[in-house]
Amino acid sequence: MDRIERFADVVVRAGVNIQPGQGVILRTDTAHLEIARAVVAAAYAAGAAWVEPLWFDGPMRRSAVDHAGLETLTTSRGWALQRIREWSEQGIASIALLGDPDPHVLDGADPVKAAAFPAEETALMRETVLGRLRWTAVGAPNPGWAAQVFGEPDVERLWDAVATAMRLDTADPAAAWRARAATLAERGAALDALELTSIRYAGGGTDLTVGLIPGCRWTGGGLIDDDGVPYMPNIPTEEVFTSPDRRTAEGVLRVTKPLVLNGRLVLGLRLEFSAGRIVAVSADSGADAVEAQLGTDDGARYLGEVSLVDSDSRIARAGIVFHNTLFDENAACHVAWGASFPFSVPGARELPVERREALGLNTSGVHTDVVIGGEGITVTGTGPKGTVDIIRDDEWVL
């Protein structure tokens, strides 16, 4: 089995864990054609009833941003909504291949139009994925991504790094991921036992305290769907995460990894929070792209995720800035502005949006992860047992 076949096998067996007779949608850039074909083949080999590729493409998106009106870009379509509802009814699996082949494709475009999306479609798809479907997102190597990482389109070198991060170098990568998932789940259980009311990130220009929702649960390694089937939403994954009380973040954070956002490269991002809300944004480049996304809806300026990652991560040990959020967020601690994960609070998934928000969960059409950890970061948690160290100088100590 070559590396692309091993990649596809991990996506299908450890990622979405496709069951016989299940339908699959595959969201992928046109740059990932060879890998997409391998994933489709692996899905059918695992018993998929059908696999539908949904293609996206940077230059095509640029054409839409340049020529379509803002109203068109934000209008939801009835046929698209119906399709999502049918996916939910059928209980399909969703696979996304990431790995931006050109993070500069929207340079010079209107940042407001570049950040635009059909709100109803986006909200329904997110609710469907988080509430009914098994999904996974995986980084797929390509020349453009390699050029961002190494300064040249050295795809072979990128494949080596991705293979290490995804444990493709082990005898049975899917089994290796199940073992890693168990370790991360143990960390989540240890955090749950502390009944933390807040966590604080400090170091490297960040000093941010975030309150937690009473009874929230920390997730690590993977999830289990309503039918009892385990899956891993991200591969690689090295994090333990939960959704905080959106009303509580106070302080400042400095993003320690590059962010590719809506076709723009954001560097040196700094954010200030007050009463949970992002009130100030600055960056060495790309601040306008961030501001445009934060302006897309009321929830975009509030946090939907807090996450813990230490230097034991394979990605952290690689010492490479991947210029890909899926990988870089699993190299160090991170947070995300935008939508919360309703499953983080027992019973919240079944509640209407207004009751979720009353608990402190956030509602938004966006969810953007930014890395704030790395060497020197310390994370402490406060709860009924006092304040405890969780990560000290980038090492897990709990």
Side-chain angles (χ1 to χ4, degrees):
M1 188 181 291
D2 67 17
R3 65 190 178 190
I4 292 181
E5 291 174 326
R6 290 171 71 82
F7 176 102
D9 181 70
V10 167
V11 171
V12 167
R13 289 206 296 135
V16 288
N17 196 359
I18 291 173
Q19 302 296 292
Q22 188 170 32
V24 181
I25 58 170
L26 172 63
R27 292 176 290 169
T28 177
D29 195 287
T30 53
H32 305 145
L33 178 59
E34 183 181 8
I35 298 172
R37 286 171 173 164
V39 171
V40 170
Y44 279 118
W50 52 264
V51 184
E52 180 182 354
L54 303 176
W55 299 98
F56 51 87
D57 177 85
M60 292 181 189
R61 174 64 179 169
R62 178 65 191 247
S63 294
V65 169
D66 285 347
H67 301 294
L70 184 60
E71 182 178 358
T72 299
L73 294 172
T74 56
T75 298
S76 296
R77 302 151 298 176
W79 62 265
L81 295 168
Q82 181 58 32
R83 180 172 64 172
I84 296 169
R85 294 187 186 103
E86 291 183 7
W87 288 340
S88 178
E89 292 169 1
Q90 295 179 27
I92 65 155
S94 173
I95 300 170
L97 297 181
L98 310 178
D100 199 326
D102 184 2
H104 298 284
V105 71
L106 293 182
D107 283 359
D110 180 341
V112 174
K113 292 173 67 179
F117 55 86
E120 191 177 357
E121 284 180 42
T122 301
L124 180 60
M125 187 62 188
R126 184 170 185 83
E127 189 72 16
T128 297
V129 167
L130 295 182
R132 180 73 179 104
L133 310 184
R134 296 195 310 281
W135 84 97
T136 197
V138 191
N142 60 73
W145 181 15
Q148 279 297 307
V149 177
F150 303 118
E152 57 182 346
D154 191 341
V155 180
E156 291 297 316
R157 188 178 173 191
L158 180 59
W159 259 114
D160 288 342
V162 168
T164 298
M166 290 183 62
R167 291 173 164 78
L168 302 183
D169 54 356
T170 61
D172 186 342
W177 275 114
R178 285 191 286 271
R180 180 58 174 165
T183 297
L184 295 172
E186 290 173 359
R187 290 183 173 183
L191 288 164
D192 286 345
L194 294 174
E195 300 179 341
L196 299 176
T197 56
S198 67
I199 62 169
R200 179 188 178 193
Y201 298 91
T206 289
D207 191 349
L208 180 69
T209 299
V210 186
L212 301 178
I213 299 170
C216 70
R217 293 292 179 263
W218 291 84
T219 298
L223 297 169
I224 299 175
D225 75 2
D226 292 342
D227 296 322
V229 180
Y231 65 101
M232 302 184 72
N234 293 338
I235 296 180
T237 182
E238 304 283 356
E239 65 176 317
V240 181
F241 67 93
T242 192
S243 287
D245 187 328
R246 64 185 175 86
R247 302 161 291 197
T248 61
E250 296 284 347
V252 296
L253 67 79
R254 183 178 71 87
V255 176
T256 54
K257 303 281 186 181
L259 170 66
V260 178
L261 181 64
N262 295 325
R264 294 281 303 281
L265 185 63
V266 181
L267 299 173
L269 178 62
R270 295 169 294 277
L271 304 175
E272 181 179 346
F273 290 80
S274 178
R277 191 171 187 272
I278 298 173
V279 295
V281 177
S282 64
D284 297 335
S285 65
D288 58 338
V290 174
E291 287 281 15
Q293 189 183 67
L294 296 178
T296 54
D297 58 41
D298 292 340
R301 286 186 177 270
Y302 296 84
L303 293 183
E305 177 186 355
V306 290
S307 177
L308 305 174
V309 183
D310 70 335
S311 59
D312 186 47
S313 158
R314 272 197 172 214
I315 302 168
R317 294 204 306 263
I320 294 173
V321 177
F322 279 92
H323 292 263
N324 175 286
T325 298
L326 174 62
F327 280 74
D328 289 334
E329 74 170 11
N330 283 291
C333 292
H334 57 274
V335 301
W337 64 72
S340 292
F341 298 110
F343 58 75
S344 294
V345 179
R349 211 178 67 178
E350 291 74 32
L351 297 176
V353 169
E354 59 271 16
R355 290 189 61 189
R356 292 180 188 175
E357 291 180 345
L359 291 173
L361 290 167
N362 194 31
T363 304
S364 177
V366 304
H367 180 92
T368 298
D369 296 276
V370 290
V371 180
I372 61 176
E375 185 176 353
I377 192 73
T378 293
V379 183
T380 54
T382 300
K385 300 177 183 179
T387 298
V388 298
D389 286 352
I390 302 170
I391 293 175
R392 187 187 306 122
D393 293 332
D394 206 24
E395 297 290 336
W396 190 274
V397 295
L398 181 62

